[in-house]
Amino acid sequence: MKTANAQSTGNIITANAPALSGKPIAVLHQAVTPPSLGGAVKPSNPFGYRDSSADIAFALAQAGCDVLTPVDDPRPDVDAEWTYPDTLDGITRAVSDGAVVLWANTSLFDEHPLAHFGSRSGLYVVGQPLDVVEKFEDKNVCQAAISAIGVPVPVQALVNVEIGPAKAQVETAVSTKGLSFPIIVKPVRGRGSAGVKVVGSVGDAAEHIESLVGPKFGGKFLIEEYLSGRELAVTVMPPGIYETADGVRHEATHWPLPAIERTGHRGGVMPFSGVVPIQSNSKPAGDDDQLREFARHAVRVAQFLKATAPIRIDCREDADGVIKAIDINMKPSMTGPGRPGREQMINLSALSGTEIGWSYTELLAAIAVNAAPVQRITRPSTHGGPRALRQAGLPTSSAGARLACHRLTPTR
């Protein structure tokens, strides 16, 4: 077993960290390629989330937590020395090294290797239930389902190039849905702003869709009402016990962190945070009636999904000031400062956490100490999804939709 030396990175007192004593943590990065599901693909992160995974591991080690690493004395500037791959071999090694908490900083799905550890007692996971992620990372399914429980969402329509030309489907959807240009085009299983574009005509929409068709995104896309108002990000935390500057909070249900307002759009779309630092285009949104109302909607989404780790809901105001959910992030970015050259790499959830007195590291410790038993991650969820799906006219199961099994990439 190899444990990061907290003394080499500093040893500070961090809220929530003492409760992790005796619970070794291993962070998992992405080494498994997500499968194609019903003709839609979520692109793998080009770096396997190794950078943010190393940020998490480094920060928790700095706080004095027992962080396991695949090598002795990991170097702060070498991502790969801080985390384990999310392959079956990688997870087995982390568990064999003594991990009690696995931080799944990766894309999950029903047949993810984590499923092999569902019967192991005393193992906890930072991550969402596998079947929930697989079903509801489909933006078409997710938006329809949360709309059915009363959460405002933009008007949208599915374009599936497997059943016909994109242009004809866009024309039909614009007419039947009452959409007016500009509109948003996005992949059904996208990652961040990849593939997202504001377009001004049927032809532009069809051209953009056709340019994305292929193994990276698959063949399913959404066209969506473009919302011109302010853009916001709301992080919702799972139930648990949390130490904050105001004392210990015993949260019996999901609860929201303060909203963050985002500016500096490029072509109507927020740029990737790896290109433009969060601090330069994001700030606390303050407090008003609309924000409080949407915070209640955000909690309703997390409750519906039975989220076992933080989720982040990106939303935007329409012309009438109604805040609508535009994306549900099952694995919010946890990039953060601490390692050399990472001083500007904060994430939206951590920025929100500062509003209740948490540092980046204290947010991480709060998440880790409330990790869910692995059984809640790997066993079929009992959330209220099927009823909402039926109300939305969608299938209640993804059975038969898997077109290709995931492949395990080499661990080295």
Side-chain angles (χ1 to χ4, degrees):
M1 179 177 69
K2 305 170 181 66
T3 305
N5 185 350
Q7 296 297 327
S8 67
T9 57
N11 193 5
I12 59 176
I13 297 175
T14 301
N16 300 291
L20 289 165
S21 177
K23 299 178 180 178
I25 302 165
V27 182
L28 306 177
H29 65 259
Q30 185 180 51
V32 175
T33 303
S36 173
L37 296 166
V41 180
K42 181 175 182 178
S44 296
N45 182 279
F47 307 107
Y49 302 110
R50 285 185 184 229
D51 50 355
S52 58
S53 298
D55 291 341
I56 295 167
F58 181 92
L60 289 174
Q62 187 180 43
C65 297
D66 187 3
V67 176
L68 304 175
T69 58
V71 302
D72 291 314
D73 300 321
R75 291 166 289 180
D77 59 343
V78 181
D79 296 349
E81 295 184 358
W82 286 91
T83 65
Y84 296 80
D86 67 339
T87 59
L88 182 58
D89 287 347
I91 300 171
T92 298
R93 182 180 176 189
V95 171
S96 297
D97 283 351
V100 171
V101 177
L102 296 174
W103 189 306
N105 191 45
T106 183
S107 295
L108 299 175
F109 47 89
D110 218 4
E111 295 181 5
H112 189 276
L114 266 175
H116 291 270
F117 298 85
S119 62
R120 190 177 185 92
S121 62
L123 184 63
Y124 297 83
V125 177
V126 174
Q128 308 294 353
L130 304 185
D131 64 331
V132 171
V133 179
E134 176 162 317
K135 181 178 293 181
F136 293 107
E137 276 197 335
D138 182 314
K139 299 180 191 299
N140 185 47
V141 171
C142 189
Q143 295 292 80
I146 66 174
S147 176
I149 61 170
V151 177
V153 300
V155 177
Q156 65 179 32
L158 178 68
V159 176
N160 182 357
V161 298
E162 295 180 357
I163 64 173
K167 186 174 182 180
Q169 293 184 62
V170 173
E171 287 177 333
T172 299
V174 168
S175 175
T176 59
K177 297 284 188 176
L179 289 166
S180 58
F181 290 95
I183 61 173
I184 292 279
V185 174
K186 60 175 65 172
V188 161
R189 288 186 180 270
R191 180 181 56 80
S193 58
V196 181
K197 187 177 182 179
V198 178
V199 297
S201 69
V202 169
D204 289 345
E207 181 179 356
H208 182 57
I209 288 170
E210 289 163 359
S211 74
L212 298 177
V213 175
K216 183 176 182 180
F217 295 109
K220 288 185 176 180
F221 303 88
L222 293 177
I223 59 171
E224 184 178 274
E225 170 190 7
Y226 175 68
L227 306 175
S228 59
R230 59 178 171 167
E231 182 163 339
L232 304 152
V234 179
T235 298
V236 183
M237 303 291 286
I241 300 174
Y242 297 88
E243 182 183 352
T244 71
D246 295 327
V248 176
R249 299 176 60 149
H250 294 260
E251 298 291 348
T253 189
H254 298 80
W255 59 286
L257 293 178
I260 298 298
E261 182 174 356
R262 311 207 66 195
T263 57
H265 297 73
R266 295 184 177 180
V269 178
M270 286 304 306
F272 173 54
S273 61
V275 176
V276 178
I278 292 293
Q279 296 96 320
S280 69
N281 60 20
S282 304
K283 63 180 181 179
D287 184 38
D288 59 41
D289 290 342
Q290 288 87 352
L291 288 174
R292 287 192 291 274
E293 181 181 10
F294 190 80
R296 290 190 288 270
H297 287 308
V299 168
R300 188 175 299 120
V301 171
Q303 291 170 336
F304 167 74
L305 297 174
K306 292 216 180 311
T308 49
I311 64 171
R312 194 187 77 234
I313 302 176
D314 296 335
C315 47
R316 199 159 180 178
E317 282 182 330
D318 67 10
D320 296 321
V322 177
I323 301 174
K324 300 180 177 181
I326 59 175
D327 199 17
I328 311 301
N329 297 278
M330 302 282 195
K331 189 199 77 63
S333 170
M334 284 296 151
T335 296
R339 298 188 298 132
R342 307 284 291 177
E343 293 79 9
Q344 299 299 312
M345 300 305 291
I346 197 65
N347 67 77
L348 291 166
S349 300
L351 186 59
S352 186
T354 63
E355 292 296 285
I356 63 168
W358 277 344
S359 66
Y360 166 63
T361 307
E362 287 169 329
L363 170 67
L364 297 179
I367 295 170
V369 79
N370 288 289
V374 68
Q375 292 80 11
R376 290 186 60 195
I377 303 300
T378 59
R379 293 177 182 171
S381 173
T382 57
H383 64 77
R387 179 179 179 183
L389 290 176
R390 285 192 294 271
Q391 291 174 345
L394 294 167
T396 60
S397 171
S398 60
R402 185 183 302 275
L403 298 184
C405 294
H406 67 273
R407 70 179 167 81
L408 300 181
T409 56
T411 60
R412 296 181 64 87

